[in-house]
Amino acid sequence: VRSPDNGHELAFLNMVDSQYYLPNDIGVSALDCREAFRLLSPREKMYSHYLSRAAWYGGLAVLLQTSPESANIFVLLQKIFRKQPAAELVPVAIAAGLTSEEYQAFLVYAAGLYANMGNYKSFGDTKFVPNLPKDKLKALVFASQAFTEQPSEMEALWDSCSSALFSLEDKQKQLGLGSKGITTYFSGNCGLEDAELAQKFLDSQNLSAYNTRLFKTEKGGKLSYEVRLASAVKSGTGCVCVLNGETRCGSFSFEDKEFTVKRGDYAQIMEKVSHYLEKAQAHAASENQKKMLEGYRRSFTFGSIDAHKEGSRFWIKDKGPIVESYIGFIESYRDPFGSRGEFEGFVAVVNKAMSERFAKLVSSAEVLLPELPWPRDFEKDTFLKPDFTSLDVLTFAGSGIPAGINIPNYDDIRQSEGFKNVSLGNVLAVAYATQKEKLTFLEEEDKDAYIKWKGPSFEVQVGLHELLGHGSGKLFVQDDQGKFNFDQNTLINPETGEKVTSWYRGNETWDSRFSTIASSYEECRAECVGLYLCLNKLALSIFGHEDQDAEDVVYINWLNMVRAGLLGLEFYTSESSSWRQAHMQARFVILRVLLEAGEGLVRLEEVAGADGRPDARITLDRTKIRTVGKTAIQRFLCKLQVLKATADVAGGRALYDGYSAVTDSGSHNFLRLRDTVLLRKEDRKMFVQANTRVQGEAVELVEYEGSVAGLICSFTERFQEDAEQLEADLLELSKRDSPCWCH
């Protein structure tokens, strides 16, 4: 690093450091679900309570899925705050020599660890460390009541995680595989070639990667792999048939390597999840809900994705429930290979008024789908009308809370049986509220309109993205029996004018074929659908936007997308030339496509800010959205769908990697713009969620203030009844795996 000879370089050095800690003034908001919960019947409240318990306990698996040290840090914090809430620790912190800013930084770090279920940001996969000296934090830990009561245990706990807690070695700065970062989905000696081999093995056994991790060992020069399934039951060999499928455990020879499939990953946690799902079953509103929960329970007991699929089929059939939920190893964004699911569970209450709009959108889907820019043969044979509801979240356990969800992620179910969409209304209400003075990179004259229409336009985008983005498009498949779901003799590829020459075979899925780019590519396709269809008057009128208001919604939706593309540079790691967040990579790709369209549609320039430091301005010519913009998105969207439908991995990678490249050459120096974005970034808000508690025959909602202290308190009270045992279980699970992370 050059010695700083001016203010800009000093600012740059501080800025790089600031990526890795959370600011003391980070936004914290309470998720409001009081009214939604009040309207539930006693039975529905009890059902929600037990589902929430299952979700919260299952969410603890994310600690073990994130980093080697996350579980130990979590236990350390729980032990400290269970004995002394944040307010009671203030005099202890002062006596230990901490300033008020340093103590606040500690609270912010603790809240961040709870909110992300680990010490890496759920959105961006960057590590965050406490913004105070290590010796000050040690002094506070050693002065705590928890330490006074159990000194040897607390000292051992501190020693087990304190160096990793603060370490910012290059590899530890972000999640990734091999030399690119930290992951606990794979043992530390695994690289991309191991992930690819394991995927081939899993495909050969018709096993899904969703609930697995991979551990590699070398004995006498021979490589062997252990595929570990998440389940309450610990493994011997032999088969346990689960419903129509099998969970195959045992040893297998594959390409001269030995693979062993075992059960029992996160066993104590999965046992808790199964226990609470069984309790929830007693309060289910229908047979579909009971069968759904039975499928999930069997999945978490035996490690069977087939059982989870069966549960998901009943979930799809559970149309219009009052209490909506989903739970399991769902999203694969954080597996560096893109096929293992992170645990999440949510429980939410349907907002009937908001849901009416989405129901209208579902009813209009068959009119809107043909508007998409690919031939009819590239669309699903029939549109399976899903549930699409607006929900107020009661519980969302996992590493973070999205704004909308389209699930299940199983291709075979989505293509032929259906899916559900949800928009999380109380999340949208607080997550996307923006203050004018914090609005970066926009012209002054755009800011008022942006603040006025950001919420309404994002609601339109989420609706179109989830329902008609993720819900559209056919995959061409030849099944195990050799049967095609398309006519390979007549189907023409619109991009080449030739017959289609590639497709998915047997057990191949979108995730298994497109692996590392699958998540971001699909988010990009869905975002493009939202941009394209928001130009449709019918789509806008469904959301109550007509005439000039409708035009303003379109303008802000497109402006928000190109601004998000610029903001996305925060989530690019230049050292490893890799993206850390699927949605933000997708938005950067769209920005590149719209800049390439030319004709003054989008302008992006580097400027000096009012503070004299580097800044940027992005503008969009609203008169060219329906001409230049629409044509550019139309062409790009058709390419994305055709390459996806035909399993053209080479073509898809070339296209997507090309637009994802961040360089200092060409018409824009994106590497330098990345520095500017980092200089002016704003951290994402953290959410404080309520707890539920059974009092006699009733369930009560326990709410907390929207502050870091409130967030910390919500977590210490969440696991009160079995805290000691739970903490011991987490430490045991963490210790069992610890030898696997050394390379």
Side-chain angles (χ1 to χ4, degrees):
V1 177
R2 285 180 292 163
S3 58
D5 54 10
N6 60 36
H8 169 60
E9 293 208 2
L10 267 173
F12 178 73
L13 290 170
N14 292 335
M15 168 197 86
V16 172
D17 289 343
S18 77
Q19 272 191 86
Y20 303 107
Y21 57 76
L22 304 173
N24 275 9
D25 62 351
I26 193 165
V28 183
S29 295
L31 264 191
D32 180 17
C33 61
R34 185 186 308 167
E35 185 61 13
F37 187 76
R38 187 182 68 78
L39 294 171
L40 295 179
S41 70
R43 183 185 182 119
E44 289 160 352
K45 285 179 180 174
M46 201 64 82
Y47 180 66
S48 301
H49 167 73
Y50 287 120
L51 283 179
S52 292
R53 301 309 291 151
W56 284 123
Y57 277 96
L60 296 171
V62 176
L63 293 164
L64 300 158
Q65 291 183 294
T66 299
S67 73
E69 65 275 7
S70 285
N72 292 44
I73 301 170
F74 176 87
V75 172
L76 181 74
L77 295 172
Q78 287 288 86
K79 285 186 179 298
I80 291 169
F81 289 116
R82 271 198 296 114
K83 295 292 181 186
Q84 292 167 293
E88 283 183 32
L89 265 176
V90 172
V92 180
I94 292 167
L98 277 72
T99 65
S100 59
E101 287 79 16
E102 286 167 342
Y103 181 60
Q104 178 66 12
F106 167 60
L107 295 183
V108 165
Y109 177 80
L113 187 113
Y114 289 134
N116 291 280
M117 266 293 103
N119 59 339
Y120 287 75
K121 292 179 188 175
S122 65
F123 199 87
D125 294 345
T126 315
K127 188 172 186 177
F128 57 95
V129 299
N131 188 19
L132 70 157
K134 186 176 177 180
D135 60 341
K136 294 275 189 92
L137 180 54
K138 181 178 181 178
L140 175 59
V141 171
F142 280 47
S144 68
Q145 189 181 328
F147 191 94
T148 305
E149 291 181 13
Q150 294 179 304
S152 57
E153 187 181 337
M154 287 294 286
E155 185 166 4
L157 193 48
W158 168 260
D159 289 343
S160 74
C161 63
S162 56
S163 63
L165 201 147
F166 280 91
S167 171
L168 281 174
E169 288 175 27
D170 282 349
K171 182 177 169 172
Q172 294 186 330
K173 287 179 178 175
Q174 66 283 314
L175 299 179
L177 185 55
S179 61
K180 289 195 168 185
I182 293 295
T183 180
T184 50
Y185 287 106
F186 298 87
S187 56
N189 54 356
C190 284
L192 185 59
E193 65 285 355
D194 300 298
E196 288 170 342
L197 178 67
Q199 188 62 56
K200 283 189 205 165
F201 165 73
L202 291 169
D203 288 345
S204 76
Q205 295 296 318
N206 197 15
L207 271 174
S208 167
Y210 270 121
N211 64 342
T212 70
R213 294 196 291 169
L214 184 72
F215 297 85
K216 179 169 82 168
T217 52
E218 198 169 335
K219 294 173 194 162
K222 188 169 182 187
L223 290 181
S224 60
Y225 296 89
E226 180 183 308
V227 174
R228 206 182 287 163
L229 307 171
S231 69
V233 169
K234 293 182 183 174
S235 173
T237 52
C239 288
V240 170
C241 291
V242 181
L243 303 167
N244 302 323
E246 290 179 353
T247 301
R248 292 184 178 84
C249 290
S251 293
F252 307 83
S253 183
F254 183 79
E255 294 194 7
D256 295 329
K257 311 284 191 299
E258 185 179 311
F259 277 82
T260 305
V261 180
K262 284 188 175 177
R263 289 192 193 83
D265 214 3
Y266 328 117
Q268 296 97 312
I269 293 172
M270 294 298 104
E271 196 175 330
K272 279 281 190 189
V273 176
S274 299
H275 166 73
Y276 282 116
L277 289 177
E278 189 171 12
K279 282 192 167 290
Q281 273 179 291
H283 305 279
S286 66
E287 273 306 301
N288 270 334
Q289 282 184 358
K290 283 181 183 167
K291 288 176 178 171
M292 162 189 98
L293 295 178
E294 183 57 27
Y296 299 160
R297 206 169 63 75
R298 293 180 70 156
S299 173
F300 302 137
T301 302
F302 298 108
S304 165
I305 288 296
D306 283 335
H308 195 270
K309 282 185 173 181
E310 199 63 20
S312 297
R313 289 186 172 99
F314 285 110
W315 178 68
I316 293 164
K317 291 173 189 168
D318 185 29
K319 300 278 188 190
I322 304 295
V323 177
E324 185 59 283
S325 67
Y326 199 57
I327 190 167
F329 295 89
I330 312 299
E331 302 293 355
S332 55
Y333 300 124
R334 298 182 95 193
D335 167 14
F337 189 66
S339 58
R340 285 155 191 78
E342 183 176 69
F343 195 96
E344 68 180 48
F346 75 82
V347 185
V349 181
V350 174
N351 180 321
K352 287 180 179 164
M354 285 282 281
S355 296
E356 281 174 18
R357 288 182 189 175
F358 293 124
K360 278 188 198 164
L361 187 63
V362 172
S363 302
S364 307
E366 284 157 302
V367 180
L368 292 168
L369 276 171
E371 298 292 314
L372 290 170
W374 48 76
R376 176 69 191 86
D377 287 336
F378 281 72
E379 192 44 70
K380 289 175 186 166
D381 300 336
T382 51
F383 180 71
L384 302 156
K385 286 192 174 180
D387 245 16
F388 196 164
T389 47
S390 177
L391 306 177
D392 287 331
V393 171
L394 174 64
T395 294
F396 206 114
S399 65
I401 310 182
I405 319 171
N406 173 288
I407 34 183
N409 285 332
Y410 305 120
D411 287 337
D412 49 345
I413 294 180
R414 295 165 63 81
Q415 290 280 317
S416 56
E417 296 173 60
F419 54 90
K420 279 187 184 181
N421 289 281
V422 297
S423 173
L424 304 178
N426 58 343
V427 177
L428 282 168
V430 291
Y432 299 96
T434 312
Q435 295 167 284
K436 190 172 179 178
E437 60 274 15
K438 289 190 172 180
L439 260 185
T440 50
F441 310 130
L442 294 179
E443 293 283 13
E444 279 304 314
E445 58 262 33
D446 279 332
K447 289 183 179 179
D448 287 334
Y450 186 91
I451 288 166
K452 180 179 179 182
W453 294 109
K454 166 85 184 287
S457 72
F458 197 70
E459 183 193 21
V460 172
Q461 179 69 12
V462 167
L464 296 172
H465 169 118
E466 299 294 350
L467 177 69
L468 300 166
H470 293 314
S472 68
K474 183 171 180 172
L475 301 183
F476 299 132
V477 180
Q478 180 183 17
D479 67 19
D480 287 333
Q481 282 72 48
K483 189 179 165 200
F484 291 86
N485 70 344
F486 66 100
D487 187 342
Q488 76 274 27
N489 297 314
T490 60
L491 185 65
I492 299 296
N493 180 327
E495 293 295 313
T496 63
E498 310 283 327
K499 284 183 188 174
V500 164
T501 57
S502 56
W503 47 83
Y504 298 85
R505 297 164 195 272
N507 297 316
E508 291 177 347
T509 65
W510 159 246
D511 276 340
S512 72
R513 287 302 312 276
F514 281 75
S515 67
T516 53
I517 66 164
S519 289
S520 184
Y521 186 112
E522 174 58 13
E523 293 305 329
C524 188
R525 197 182 70 91
E527 291 284 47
C528 286
V529 168
L531 285 183
Y532 190 71
L533 288 180
C534 83
L535 302 174
N536 185 291
K537 284 186 176 174
L538 171 62
L540 289 163
S541 69
I542 288 166
F543 287 91
H545 306 304
E546 307 277 357
D547 306 323
Q548 186 55 45
D549 284 358
E551 290 306 308
D552 288 343
V553 164
V554 168
Y555 175 59
I556 296 304
N557 194 34
W558 279 61
L559 181 64
N560 184 47
M561 186 63 71
V562 293
R563 176 176 180 258
L566 177 60
L567 294 175
L569 287 166
E570 177 192 337
F571 303 94
Y572 177 78
T573 302
S574 52
E575 293 80 3
S576 58
S577 303
S578 60
W579 284 90
R580 307 186 311 275
Q581 214 295 319
H583 299 79
M584 298 312 279
Q585 179 183 356
R587 291 157 188 164
F588 176 76
V589 165
I590 291 169
L591 169 63
R592 291 279 313 275
V593 168
L594 293 176
L595 281 167
E596 186 183 86
E599 297 187 47
L601 172 69
V602 179
R603 293 189 189 279
L604 172 58
E605 55 183 343
E606 297 180 66
V607 297
D611 56 6
R613 300 191 297 173
D615 207 340
R617 284 291 170 275
I618 193 155
T619 55
L620 173 71
D621 186 339
R622 66 190 297 161
T623 67
K624 293 179 178 171
I625 292 173
R626 291 183 179 276
T627 51
V628 182
K630 184 178 180 181
T631 302
I633 293 296
Q634 183 175 12
R635 286 179 184 154
F636 184 60
L637 184 50
C638 188
K639 279 182 189 165
L640 289 175
Q641 172 55 24
V642 168
L643 292 164
K644 179 185 178 185
T646 58
D648 184 350
V649 179
R653 276 195 182 277
L655 177 74
Y656 204 67
D657 289 346
Y659 280 112
S660 298
V662 177
T663 67
D664 55 6
S665 58
S667 52
H668 296 91
N669 185 333
F670 285 115
L671 281 172
R672 192 166 63 216
L673 279 162
R674 175 179 173 269
D675 294 343
T676 303
V677 169
L678 285 172
L679 188 68
R680 301 188 178 276
K681 76 184 178 74
E682 185 186 359
D683 281 88
R684 289 167 75 80
K685 280 182 184 165
M686 298 193 286
F687 295 112
V688 182
Q689 298 183 59
N691 285 321
T692 51
R693 188 163 57 198
V694 176
Q695 294 286 76
E697 296 293 301
V699 178
E700 65 177 36
L701 190 71
V702 185
E703 296 177 283
Y704 303 88
E705 67 174 22
S707 66
V708 287
L711 204 161
I712 291 165
C713 187
S714 73
F715 268 89
T716 49
E717 292 189 2
R718 196 154 278 150
F719 304 104
Q720 268 178 324
E721 64 257 39
D722 60 348
E724 295 279 351
Q725 184 59 51
L726 179 66
E727 288 160 12
D729 288 343
L730 283 170
L731 292 177
E732 184 193 321
L733 288 166
S734 176
K735 188 176 181 181
R736 183 186 74 167
D737 293 340
S738 59
C740 304
W741 313 130
C742 308
H743 180 36

